[in-house]
Amino acid sequence: MERVDRCVVLVDAGYLLGAAASLLAGEPARSRITVDHAALIQGLRERAQADTEQPLLRIYWFDGAPDRVPQPEHRRLRVMPRVTVRLGALTRSDGRWAQKGVDAAMHAELTELARNRACSDVVLVTGDGDLLPGLMSAKEHGVAVHLWAVQAADGDYNQSEDLVAEADERRVLDRAWITKAVRAKDLGGICAPAPAPRPEIAAILSAPLPESALAASAERAAQAQARTPAPVARNGSTAPPTDHGTEQHPTPPGTKAVPTPKDLAGLRAPGPDRQPAPLQPQHPGGATLRWSSDKGWVERPGSGTSGEPPETASLPTLAQLTSAEQRWADREEDITTVGGDPFEVGQVFARRWMERLPETAHVQKLSVMYPRVPHRIDGELLRYAARFGLLAHKDDQIDEHDRYAIRAGFWREIDVRAAEEA
């Protein structure tokens, strides 16, 4: 079998982004950096073709994910031309995240490409000495191995010395190259621009709370002082407080408590200005309306056996409005074009729901319910979002801020359509 003259790039994302975070932010936590994945892939492609003097066959991106579920960044990467994403498991042990199966997958891909003579040059972006046997096997099959390192923060090697010694060529991706696609979120006064605030999320968070909700928030804050620190979210940052029984942080003096979905269930917006106002005293019998994240509806007099109020019982779910052919088309769109940003996910769901409604009056009916999403629709919205890797690893719950963003995206689309029909 004749060898094909072309190059392949194998990227250990944990090494590349962790080393970049150490270089730019002083610690290897990937949550400390922002990455322009399109620019990064383009930079890898151009650099590989220049260094090897061969056309690119493919870039393999190896990374870990909880339960091997693709995260939003993986979804964006895997639909890029000439990019293949391979996921290992991401597990938590002794308070630290660790990748499982990534090295084995890289070793298998490297040896298989060399054995099949699929390329003449392989670029390895890794520092792990476990790949040494695979590197040696590739060389024995006549493949030139180029080893790339990220400039080390301390000026020393951040790669296995055995790996460095065995490679045919070695290059260093320096700070100037890295910063074309990666920026530090916080680096001693040199900060990447903060993301633009979303007014929809801000409006929800700043909504006035009824006295009962404020009292409940104060009680939660007092109870939290004796509890353990908040869990670590899927991106490595401290997770905000949730309403699912997880640990809560006390509210700092002088700041406003962040309302939970349970708190917001006691609010309503009287008009199109979307300024929520406290509800009137409780419904007869003391029954309350709760969000789906608070274990469903509470039975109210006159609401029927389903426990759902008449004004929302007539609203169909997206599943009821979707045919088998549309379901297939939705999945195709999700895989190829929806990146997985929480706000975007809420928008996509809302657009599909409104496009398939048999009666446009449903949009106006839902619009006046802000900020409460009816239980059946809200539950379906969050289940849809979970398909995009937005579940936090702990307790299979969606991160609190992500849930606000999902619902904010949903309401943005509802408001746009309601304004068009007004």
Side-chain angles (χ1 to χ4, degrees):
M1 183 186 300
E2 183 179 354
R3 184 181 67 237
V4 179
D5 291 332
R6 53 193 177 188
C7 68
V8 170
V9 181
L10 305 183
V11 180
D12 179 351
Y15 166 76
L16 173 59
L17 300 182
S22 295
L23 178 64
L24 302 181
E27 59 181 270
R30 288 161 63 171
S31 60
R32 294 291 306 277
I33 57 175
T34 57
V35 183
D36 183 340
H37 290 91
L40 183 57
I41 292 299
Q42 184 63 25
L44 290 170
R45 178 172 187 162
E46 293 174 354
R47 181 72 177 263
Q49 292 181 149
D51 281 7
T52 65
E53 299 181 349
Q54 302 294 347
L56 177 75
L57 170 62
R58 190 173 297 115
I59 295 175
Y60 289 90
W61 186 273
F62 296 87
D63 203 0
D67 300 322
R68 291 185 167 85
V69 176
Q71 302 298 292
E73 66 183 88
H74 302 138
R75 300 182 64 88
R76 289 190 290 270
L77 284 163
R78 69 184 184 181
V79 298
M80 293 180 184
R82 304 275 180 162
V83 176
T84 296
V85 175
R86 297 278 190 258
L87 294 180
L90 191 63
T91 59
R92 189 170 180 79
S93 177
D94 298 327
R96 300 183 64 182
W97 291 100
Q99 295 183 160
K100 300 293 184 183
V102 173
D103 296 337
M106 289 189 70
H107 180 279
E109 200 72 58
L110 175 59
T111 55
E112 193 70 12
L113 288 166
R115 184 182 298 115
N116 291 327
R117 305 177 74 83
C119 58
S120 58
D121 297 75
V122 167
V123 174
L124 289 178
V125 186
T126 186
D128 199 329
D130 290 344
L131 280 177
L132 183 60
L135 187 154
M136 297 172 66
S137 175
K139 290 175 62 177
E140 291 171 359
H141 284 87
V143 174
V145 179
H146 305 252
L147 183 65
W148 288 1
V150 175
Q151 180 181 337
D154 56 6
D156 201 355
Y157 284 140
N158 54 13
Q159 291 179 306
S160 162
E161 292 189 21
D162 291 335
L163 208 62
V164 172
E166 193 66 31
D168 295 307
E169 302 281 350
R170 184 172 185 263
R171 296 286 185 271
V172 175
L173 304 176
D174 60 16
R175 181 187 293 268
W177 190 92
I178 292 292
T179 52
K180 292 178 181 178
V182 183
R183 301 185 66 184
K185 291 182 179 177
D186 182 11
L187 187 58
I190 303 176
C191 303
R198 291 209 168 102
E200 297 81 6
I201 301 178
I204 292 178
L205 294 178
S206 64
L209 298 179
E211 293 183 2
S212 60
L214 290 172
S217 296
E219 181 180 355
R220 282 195 302 272
Q223 293 173 350
Q225 294 178 355
R227 298 186 181 180
T228 56
V232 175
R234 61 186 171 82
N235 61 1
S237 61
T238 301
T242 67
D243 57 316
H244 294 276
T246 57
E247 297 87 343
Q248 303 287 340
H249 270 313
T251 303
T255 61
K256 181 179 178 181
V258 176
T260 67
K262 187 190 302 183
D263 299 330
L264 292 177
L267 307 174
R268 67 176 176 83
D273 56 355
R274 292 291 182 272
Q275 294 298 320
L279 280 172
Q280 298 300 319
Q282 282 191 330
H283 299 287
T288 57
L289 175 65
R290 299 182 180 181
W291 288 41
S292 63
S293 54
D294 192 36
K295 301 179 181 179
W297 297 86
V298 174
E299 184 70 31
R300 295 197 301 181
S303 61
T305 58
S306 68
E308 199 167 337
E311 62 268 23
T312 62
S314 62
L315 292 175
T317 63
L318 180 61
Q320 293 171 332
L321 299 170
T322 303
S323 66
E325 292 78 6
Q326 287 173 323
R327 190 173 298 111
W328 178 88
D330 290 347
R331 293 289 292 182
E332 184 73 11
E333 181 183 2
D334 290 344
I335 292 171
T336 57
T337 63
V338 181
D341 173 77
F343 191 82
E344 177 192 16
V345 167
Q347 289 181 299
V348 171
F349 181 94
R351 281 199 297 268
R352 290 175 181 166
W353 184 76
M354 291 185 293
E355 288 170 356
R356 296 166 192 174
L357 284 174
E359 301 177 17
T360 57
H362 286 310
V363 176
Q364 296 294 338
K365 184 184 298 185
L366 178 62
S367 179
V368 298
M369 296 179 187
Y370 179 90
R372 298 177 303 188
V373 182
H375 165 62
R376 291 176 302 119
I377 296 175
D378 188 53
E380 188 180 37
L381 170 61
L382 296 181
R383 287 193 298 272
Y384 171 72
R387 288 167 26 191
F388 291 88
L390 292 174
L391 286 177
H393 193 62
K394 180 178 175 60
D395 298 329
D396 289 333
Q397 301 294 344
I398 296 179
D399 178 82
E400 183 79 359
H401 187 271
D402 284 350
R403 282 187 278 129
Y404 281 129
I406 292 164
R407 289 164 175 146
F410 176 86
W411 282 118
R412 164 61 69 85
E413 291 302 307
I414 297 295
D415 282 346
V416 169
R417 180 63 65 86
E420 291 175 351
E421 295 177 357

